[in-house]
Amino acid sequence: MLAGAAVLAAQAAQAQEVNIYTTREPGLIQPLLDAFTKESGIQVKTVALKDGLAERVASEGENSPADVLMTVDFGNLVDLVEAGVTQPVKSEALESAIPANLRDADGNWFALSLRARVLYADKDLNDLISFTYEELADPKWDGKVCIRSGKHPYNIALISTMIAKDGAEKTEAWLEGVKNNLARPAAGGDRDVARDILGGICEIGIANSYYVGLMRSGKGGPEQEEWAKAIKVILPTFADGSGTQVNVSGAAVAKHAPNKDNAVKLLEYLVSDEAQGIYASANYEYPVKPGAAVDPIIEALGPLKVDATQLTEIAANRKTAAELVDKVGFDE
């Protein structure tokens, strides 16, 4: 009897935990996990990985302790599915909170927060009040565009969206046009676009929205506050008027999750109003749940209309996008 009771106690204890494997910086998600534990009583154990998430879980096989796989970039989420390390989840809470184009149709992964690919522009460009991604290739911007490597996942996602909309041939011509407009080689990071606008190297560039929050809040240091003062931010759309391109952070339930029910509870919590508010305030990301609170710095950029292209469709174009970057010598 005692042995049986001990087993039951151990099982009960195990049932009150959930294990996350994540490539996100632990400090960014810890406030969310602490809030989940406080509300649910479920303890969260985190394994932080720089890369190789799918490979790690696959190598552990059925003995893997991973319950939730959390990462950034929808391409990485699709890769988890293709590696066979996820399982489908059916949840009314997740499906009602997350727009259909921002989650896997079979429930294998779910976006949890968004970052928009926006335009940083010289604050003195008074006539520039709207912009399309296609305009990056307009010769009027010859020698005036800054951007990071075309091979970076942020830009591969944008190029892949172009392919989904216009096909590879037109996208190649657009990419060639953008390359011709570069003020400097495609390199560095997104915040370097703001730095180089301040330095007079370029007038416009494409970068992620959440970096604006990091710079303007002072979290990036006083130097980056000055970079942020030099720019205004425009939420571009595609020429078809469909909206702004976004990338995501997201998560999936691991194929052999020993605590599946708790994993689902965690994902459902992460799309609650409380958790979506924490995402917004802690990381300057857009909530994935329509109507959830947005940090004031990001809210000041204007209302975000998300491009409706299915993320899975975009992810399917990543190989072609990378090939086009090489073909036009974008990073050379």
Side-chain angles (χ1 to χ4, degrees), residues 105-121:
D106 296 322
N108 280 290
W109 58 263
F110 301 88
L112 300 173
S113 65
L114 310 175
R115 60 277 303 276
R117 206 77 181 129
V118 301
L119 186 81
Y120 292 4

Side-chain angles (χ1 to χ4, degrees), residues 69 77 80-88 108-109 252-256:
L69 311 178
L77 292 164
L80 293 174
V81 180
E82 293 179 349
V85 296
T86 67
Q87 62 173 295
N108 280 290
W109 58 263
V253 174
K255 183 176 182 179
H256 301 293

Side-chain angles (χ1 to χ4, degrees), residues 86-105:
T86 67
Q87 62 173 295
V89 168
K90 187 72 175 175
S91 164
E92 183 177 344
L94 292 170
E95 292 171 10
S96 63
I98 306 171
N101 63 308
L102 301 177
R103 51 182 164 85
D104 178 61

Side-chain angles (χ1 to χ4, degrees), residues 125-136:
L125 293 175
N126 296 320
D127 294 335
L128 189 63
I129 57 176
S130 63
F131 200 81
T132 67
Y133 295 107
E134 285 83 354
E135 288 180 85
L136 286 168

Side-chain angles (χ1 to χ4, degrees), residues 244-261:
T244 300
Q245 192 260 329
V246 299
N247 211 318
V248 306
S249 74
V253 174
K255 183 176 182 179
H256 301 293
N259 303 294
K260 179 182 177 180
D261 289 347

Side-chain angles (χ1 to χ4, degrees), residues 9-293:
Q11 290 174 340
Q14 182 183 34
Q16 293 306 307
E17 70 177 31
V18 63
N19 302 305
I20 298 178
Y21 282 19
T22 180
T23 60
R24 295 213 71 179
E25 184 180 332
L28 294 178
I29 61 172
Q30 197 58 50
L32 291 154
L33 305 182
D34 291 343
F36 171 69
T37 296
K38 183 177 180 180
E39 178 173 299
S40 67
I42 298 171
Q43 299 298 314
V44 183
K45 297 180 179 179
T46 304
V47 175
L49 302 169
K50 186 175 182 180
D51 49 35
L53 177 58
E55 293 80 3
R56 167 73 175 267
V57 179
S59 68
E60 292 174 346
E62 295 182 7
N63 295 320
S64 177
D67 295 307
V68 173
L69 311 178
M70 186 177 291
T71 189
V72 175
D73 184 69
F74 58 81
N76 290 328
L77 292 164
V78 171
D79 287 344
L80 293 174
V81 180
E82 293 179 349
V85 296
T86 67
Q87 62 173 295
V89 168
K90 187 72 175 175
S91 164
E92 183 177 344
L94 292 170
E95 292 171 10
S96 63
I98 306 171
N101 63 308
L102 301 177
R103 51 182 164 85
D104 178 61
D106 296 322
N108 280 290
W109 58 263
F110 301 88
L112 300 173
S113 65
L114 310 175
R115 60 277 303 276
R117 206 77 181 129
V118 301
L119 186 81
Y120 292 4
D122 190 315
K123 63 180 176 58
D124 294 326
L125 293 175
N126 296 320
D127 294 335
L128 189 63
I129 57 176
S130 63
F131 200 81
T132 67
Y133 295 107
E134 285 83 354
E135 288 180 85
L136 286 168
D138 190 323
K140 71 180 282 188
W141 299 110
D142 182 21
K144 299 177 181 179
V145 176
C146 285
I147 197 168
R148 75 192 305 163
S149 167
K151 281 289 189 71
H152 191 279
Y154 296 160
N155 286 332
I156 287 294
L158 176 59
I159 298 165
S160 297
T161 307
M162 281 285 189
I163 295 171
K165 291 178 175 294
D166 298 328
E169 186 175 345
K170 287 186 178 179
T171 301
E172 180 183 343
W174 170 77
L175 202 57
E176 187 77 58
V178 179
K179 174 181 168 56
N180 291 339
N181 286 343
L182 293 181
R184 57 159 171 77
D190 278 3
R191 280 176 276 194
D192 294 339
V193 174
R195 179 200 65 191
D196 290 348
I197 289 174
L198 174 63
I201 295 172
C202 47
E203 294 185 4
I204 63 171
I206 291 291
N208 270 354
S209 54
Y210 73 95
Y211 289 120
V212 179
L214 292 171
M215 290 188 291
R216 289 184 175 171
S217 67
K219 288 186 177 180
E223 184 179 36
Q224 292 186 19
E225 283 189 85
E226 294 304 310
W227 300 353
K229 290 176 183 177
I231 65 170
K232 61 180 179 180
V233 180
I234 295 173
L235 299 177
T237 63
F238 291 92
D240 62 7
S242 57
T244 300
Q245 192 260 329
V246 299
N247 211 318
V248 306
S249 74
V253 174
K255 183 176 182 179
H256 301 293
N259 303 294
K260 179 182 177 180
D261 289 347
N262 288 347
V264 174
K265 287 178 183 177
L266 174 58
L267 295 189
E268 291 177 341
Y269 171 76
L270 292 175
V271 296
S272 68
D273 288 340
E274 178 184 18
Q276 289 286 288
I278 295 173
Y279 265 119
S281 62
N283 303 335
Y284 303 103
E285 294 176 299
Y286 286 98
V288 72
K289 185 178 185 179

